[in-house]
Amino acid sequence: MSDIDARYMLGSILLSLGIVYILSNVTANFSPFWGFIGIFLIFEGSYYTVKYVFRQHKDITNPLVTLFLGIAVLIFTFHIVIPTFTMLVAGFSIAVGAALLLSGFVFKISRKEVLSGLILIGFGFLIATPAVFNISEKFYRYLHIYGVGALLILLGLVLMIPRNKKSVKKDEGGKSDEVH
Amino acid sequence: MKCYYHPDREAVAVCSVCGKPLCAECAQEYKGKVYCKECLAKVKEEEEVAASKSNVSKGDASKSGASEGVVPKSAVSEHTETSSTESKAKKEVPYKGASTAKVVFTSIVVALVIIGLILLSTMGISGVLTPLSLVTSKSSSVESVTAIPYEGERSITVSLDANNCMLNVKELENAIDDKVVKENTEGAKLAVLTSVNTASRMSYKNGTLTVKATGLKKNAVVNLYLTIRIKEVSLESDVKNASFSISLPDIPISAKLSLTNGGISLSNCTVDRINGTIMNGSVTIKNSGVTGIYLKGMNSQISFSDNKFLGNVSLNLLNGTLDVKGNKHIASFYEKGVNSVINCDFSKTEPPMSATFKNITTEVTINVGKQPAVISAPYADVKADSYFTVNGSNYTTPNYSKQYSCLDISVLPAGETAIPLGSITLLGGD
């Protein structure tokens, strides 16, 4: 951590505290602790994201995850989404997923990150949707009835799909290229 | 560790200034230290600047006739070379301080914009910044005050467990016409409560308006005594861990609620409309007249008792408790929540009325007393392992269906039907 990073962090702590102090005075139903966490994460995340954009920082995934987590924390803190357990899990899952997707799709091309992001977003929406439409009970009842069976069927199908066996192609330079 | 500039290559050294890992190609040694390209350029640039400064000082000294004499040609040419490399370096490597400032400034702006957008959406969606506001309609002229329809004191008692809550009286102040204030208050000022900790008490003279606030801490009480003409009171609340009760006869109240672990109790009120959501909370309405209620609740208790009339009631209660009894008139009653314990006593309700209960999965007890009633259950569905019984009637379910769990009840005026019913107990669920 360089000098300017440390200074920015201290500054952002003070800024966050100031904003939280004002908000807690003018806002009802506002948790100062989580408000501070959210605002601080947004400051830190945006700093390192901007640093990456200006080519002064190597990593983009972690700053984006920090930024999106901060946004999620603030969304719950301000009760834009009511912070029930289900929505918290879904919200943070979607936040991390969106950060990974953005990082893997826009800033650097990484299939692994895009896939992880999509899985996390899918998981988040899967558990959030029944709660949003108030059909959780029905959903989990059907999941209980059909879920395990469907999963096993899916796994069976995946195993049945013919795939190329591991083969090794050698090119001119003697390098090997694995094809699955 | 991989090279910073070539991620496919292993690093063999680390820049002594910025600490970047470097491969053999990128690592550049200069005066016994390893640098990356950028840092090396900066180091050289600094050295050149220092050298040029010393040359300039030498030149100045020579101009002023110092003992060194004329500056040699080589030095001049060196100086011009230095300045040309310096300008090149300036073009290639941005000045570190400026770019850092740019980064910091940009990131602060980005962060503030994000936080601002979230705040803006919060204000737009649920009005969090005015969590509990009492707003009167504007009295536009003095005449309206002379014809005060609600003379005498009216009180609103708000009891708050008010951590981070605010009673916003500013809107109330703004809502009162200036002329009205002058005519009736003899210049007294209406103080504005801005925060929980502002314990204040203020009073309009002539008994026009008294706003009294003591503490507003845990279970504090705020009393508003209004004798100004009020057309309507609208209550907006987004309150956590709070419970408050309102007793305000004659003046219509409309309320938009968002309660978490909180409760609202209305008694002797005229309620135009209540809508909102409750989480682990309670809503109690008694001895009032209610035109419309639209509530969603989770793990919450809702109770309507001894009301003069209930207009359209639409509830969606999940894992909650619903108690309805002693209401004189009910226009329509609709409940579609899941897993709620429902106790409805319509025996004192005068016909006509109708009630619909959907998604019945747990115990529902509905008593229509000796009212002549028609109970039909076109979509009555309880799970296979459940049953429902009807006490005191030969009730049948003509259109029993397993598709929906719904029970329709209609209580009709005497003479229109003659199916006496005692109480219906609907049992089911897991």
Side-chain angles (χ1 to χ4, degrees):
Chain A
M1 186 184 276
S2 68
D3 179 45
I4 187 70
D5 291 351
R7 272 165 53 196
Y8 183 87
M9 197 178 82
L10 278 173
S12 62
I13 286 173
L14 289 179
L15 259 172
S16 309
L17 281 173
I19 293 171
V20 164
Y21 184 81
I22 292 168
L23 285 176
S24 61
N25 274 341
V26 298
T27 311
N29 204 4
F30 174 76
S31 158
F33 175 74
W34 289 110
F36 170 75
I37 297 286
I39 291 168
F40 179 68
L41 286 179
I42 287 177
F43 270 112
E44 283 294 298
S46 61
Y47 174 62
Y48 286 104
T49 308
V50 170
K51 263 189 101 171
Y52 178 86
V53 171
F54 281 91
R55 295 172 186 278
Q56 291 187 9
H57 193 65
K58 285 172 269 181
D59 183 32
I60 183 63
T61 312
N62 288 335
L64 276 179
V65 169
T66 312
L67 181 65
F68 277 70
L69 277 179
I71 292 171
V73 168
L74 273 199
I75 282 172
F76 286 119
T77 308
F78 285 113
H79 287 73
I80 294 171
V81 178
I82 294 177
T84 58
F85 178 74
T86 315
M87 295 311 285
L88 280 171
V89 173
F92 289 128
S93 168
I94 290 170
V96 176
L100 286 174
L101 193 68
L102 196 67
S103 152
F105 202 70
V106 177
F107 289 102
K108 57 183 179 187
I109 305 301
S110 164
R111 202 165 60 174
K112 199 166 72 180
E113 283 189 3
V114 169
L115 205 66
S116 318
L118 285 175
I119 289 170
L120 279 171
I121 290 173
F123 173 73
F125 275 111
L126 190 74
I127 58 170
T129 312
V132 168
F133 290 104
N134 199 15
I135 50 165
S136 298
E137 202 237 9
K138 202 179 267 184
F139 175 78
Y140 288 113
R141 199 169 65 207
Y142 284 123
L143 193 74
H144 182 68
I145 297 168
Y146 302 110
V148 178
L151 203 71
L152 287 172
I153 291 167
L154 209 71
L155 269 174
L157 285 173
V158 168
L159 283 175
M160 277 180 201
I161 293 168
R163 286 184 302 169
N164 290 337
K165 280 189 178 177
K166 203 174 180 182
S167 62
V168 178
K169 281 182 186 175
K170 284 191 177 175
D171 60 1
E172 289 171 4
K175 286 178 184 173
S176 65
D177 186 17
E178 287 184 355
V179 178
H180 296 275
Chain B
M1 197 161 49
K2 302 288 183 189
C3 173
Y4 180 76
Y5 298 100
H6 303 96
D8 54 329
R9 295 182 197 167
E10 283 296 325
V12 295
V14 172
C15 175
S16 57
V17 176
C18 64
K20 284 175 191 165
L22 304 165
C23 66
E25 189 189 314
C26 300
Q28 296 187 14
E29 202 172 334
Y30 181 69
K31 291 185 179 174
K33 286 183 178 176
V34 177
Y35 297 96
C36 64
K37 280 179 195 169
E38 287 171 7
C39 294
L40 183 64
K42 281 172 199 168
V43 167
K44 282 183 177 173
E45 178 195 341
E46 280 166 11
E47 282 182 2
E48 281 161 3
V49 170
S52 67
K53 271 182 184 172
S54 67
N55 281 343
V56 169
S57 63
K58 275 179 190 173
D60 286 346
S62 67
K63 271 182 189 173
S64 61
S67 58
E68 280 85 357
V70 183
V71 179
K73 268 188 178 179
S74 59
V76 174
S77 61
E78 195 181 303
H79 183 215
T80 47
E81 267 179 34
T82 309
S83 52
S84 66
T85 25
E86 193 181 319
S87 62
K88 269 184 187 175
K90 271 187 181 173
K91 276 177 190 171
E92 282 167 16
V93 183
Y95 178 49
K96 194 184 174 190
S99 83
T100 309
K102 209 158 94 179
V103 167
V104 171
F105 179 73
T106 315
S107 55
I108 288 173
V109 168
V110 168
L112 288 178
V113 164
I114 292 170
I115 294 164
L117 282 174
I118 293 171
L119 267 174
L120 211 64
S121 65
T122 309
M123 281 193 285
I125 291 168
S126 56
V128 160
L129 288 180
T130 51
L132 182 62
S133 58
L134 301 167
V135 185
T136 62
S137 62
K138 287 185 181 179
S139 298
S140 55
S141 64
V142 180
E143 282 74 31
S144 65
V145 179
T146 55
I148 293 171
Y150 303 116
E151 288 232 289
E153 285 190 341
R154 300 282 180 269
S155 68
I156 305 169
T157 306
V158 183
S159 176
L160 291 170
D161 179 0
N163 290 322
N164 304 317
C165 285
M166 179 178 73
L167 181 67
N168 187 352
V169 190
K170 196 168 186 179
E171 293 191 31
L172 182 66
E173 181 189 33
N174 293 336
I176 302 167
D177 189 81
D178 283 346
K179 283 179 185 171
V180 179
V181 174
K182 280 172 195 166
E183 291 284 327
N184 293 281
T185 62
E186 295 177 358
K189 280 188 177 179
L190 178 68
V192 179
L193 302 180
T194 50
S195 76
V196 180
N197 299 318
T198 314
S200 59
R201 180 194 170 100
M202 56 275 182
S203 164
Y204 270 82
K205 290 180 182 175
N206 293 340
T208 309
L209 175 65
T210 305
V211 180
K212 178 181 138 190
T214 45
L216 262 181
K217 287 176 183 171
K218 199 164 189 176
N219 293 321
V221 174
V222 177
N223 291 313
L224 298 182
Y225 299 99
L226 311 173
T227 51
I228 291 174
R229 192 174 80 99
I230 299 170
K231 281 182 186 165
E232 186 184 309
V233 170
S234 75
L235 175 75
E236 259 189 50
S237 76
D238 187 345
V239 186
K240 199 175 183 181
N241 301 323
S243 61
F244 48 99
S245 57
I246 294 177
S247 178
L248 194 69
D250 305 329
I251 303 169
I253 296 172
S254 63
K256 186 181 168 190
L257 306 172
S258 174
L259 302 174
T260 309
N261 302 324
I264 179 168
S265 168
L266 302 176
S267 61
N268 295 312
C269 287
T270 307
V271 181
D272 259 0
R273 182 185 174 95
I274 293 182
N275 59 358
T277 54
I278 324 153
M279 182 81 76
N280 305 324
S282 69
V283 171
T284 306
I285 302 175
K286 60 183 178 183
N287 300 320
S288 299
V290 184
T291 310
I293 300 173
Y294 309 91
L295 285 175
K296 271 186 176 182
M298 188 186 268
N299 305 326
S300 300
Q301 289 85 46
I302 295 179
S303 166
F304 304 117
S305 59
D306 305 321
N307 290 300
K308 285 168 248 171
F309 66 90
L310 290 176
N312 296 317
V313 180
S314 176
L315 305 171
N316 189 343
L317 196 57
L318 182 64
N319 298 328
T321 309
L322 172 65
D323 280 305
V324 181
K325 63 177 178 183
N327 300 294
K328 205 171 180 188
H329 295 285
I330 297 177
S332 75
F333 198 93
Y334 182 76
E335 208 285 320
K336 64 166 187 174
V338 182
N339 271 347
S340 295
V341 177
I342 297 171
N343 281 301
C344 289
D345 185 349
F346 296 131
S347 58
K348 287 184 182 171
T349 306
E350 290 181 6
M353 68 146 283
S354 72
T356 301
F357 300 88
K358 287 188 83 173
N359 302 330
I360 297 162
T361 50
T362 48
E363 187 171 338
V364 176
T365 305
I366 296 154
N367 182 18
V368 289
K370 292 180 180 176
Q371 297 275 6
V374 170
I375 305 247
S376 60
Y379 306 115
D381 166 42
V382 196
K383 286 184 199 169
D385 56 347
S386 56
Y387 58 93
F388 74 131
T389 57
V390 182
N391 296 326
S393 86
N394 50 1
Y395 171 73
T396 53
T397 55
N399 297 310
Y400 185 84
S401 157
K402 285 195 173 184
Q403 294 301 311
Y404 309 95
S405 47
C406 175
L407 179 65
D408 279 344
I409 297 175
S410 304
V411 179
L412 300 174
E416 287 192 24
T417 179
I419 304 173
L421 279 172
S423 67
I424 302 166
T425 307
L426 195 60
L427 295 167
D430 301 322

